Amino acid sequence: MRTGIFVGSFDPFTIGHDSIVRRALPLFDRIVIGVGINERKKYMLSAEERTGRIARLYADEGKIEVCSYSDLTIDLAQREQAGFIIKGVRSMKDFEYEREQADINRRLSGIETILLFAEPQLADISSSVVRELAHFNKDISEFLP
């Protein structure tokens, strides 16, 4: 069984994230969406809210599971017996960061990273932009699945 993990803080999970998941579905038998918990970060939504929203979104998709985790991504991948980490890339800045992470993850665990480039119309959507809009009471519904 070919398993991939798609990880992030997903605070909140955007239509850009959803696009990456849906485009990755044909590549894997199983995708685990890992909602990261970092004690040094302040979140808009709790881990339970983030995990619950994503789980409800994919409730009818049998190939997708959702969990939260607070250790290294490679530890989650090993627990889930995943051979691949799925990441979305919106810009060259994202690419450089993800390349560095992919190199370290492969060096430490042998796990490969699959990069999927954002669809052009979604490349400017990020969780941080959506959080900023929400902070100023703007309608963010068009950015959420």
Side-chain angles (χ1 to χ4, degrees), residues 32-113:
V32 176
I33 300 175
V35 177
I37 302 168
N38 181 338
E39 295 171 2
R40 296 178 303 252
K41 251 180 133 171
K42 182 175 166 119
Y43 295 104
M44 179 177 81
L45 302 169
S46 72
E48 293 78 21
E49 289 174 298
R50 291 179 280 147
T51 303
R53 287 179 181 196
I54 298 167
R56 284 189 296 279
L57 178 63
Y58 298 110
D60 294 332
E61 180 48 68
K63 291 172 58 172
I64 295 177
E65 299 170 27
V66 183
C67 67
S68 61
Y69 73 105
S70 58
D71 51 352
L72 293 174
T73 297
I74 57 173
D75 295 332
L76 173 66
Q78 289 170 340
R79 270 195 310 280
E80 296 295 337
Q81 299 180 324
F84 301 91
I85 299 168
I86 304 160
K87 298 298 284 192
V89 175
R90 294 171 293 143
S91 65
M92 284 304 294
K93 180 180 169 187
D94 283 357
F95 177 81
E96 284 299 323
Y97 175 79
E98 296 301 347
R99 185 192 56 76
E100 290 173 7
Q101 293 297 305
D103 289 346
I104 292 294
N105 289 336
R106 186 175 53 257
R107 184 178 190 173
L108 293 175
S109 68
I111 296 171
E112 291 290 346
T113 298

Side-chain angles (χ1 to χ4, degrees), residues 8-41:
S9 55
F10 305 127
D11 186 36
F13 192 84
T14 69
I15 57 175
H17 296 128
D18 181 54
S19 169
I20 296 298
V21 170
R22 295 194 187 277
R23 290 169 47 217
L25 271 173
L27 304 174
F28 297 95
D29 301 309
R30 176 175 167 252
I31 293 177
V32 176
I33 300 175
V35 177
I37 302 168
N38 181 338
E39 295 171 2
R40 296 178 303 252
K41 251 180 133 171

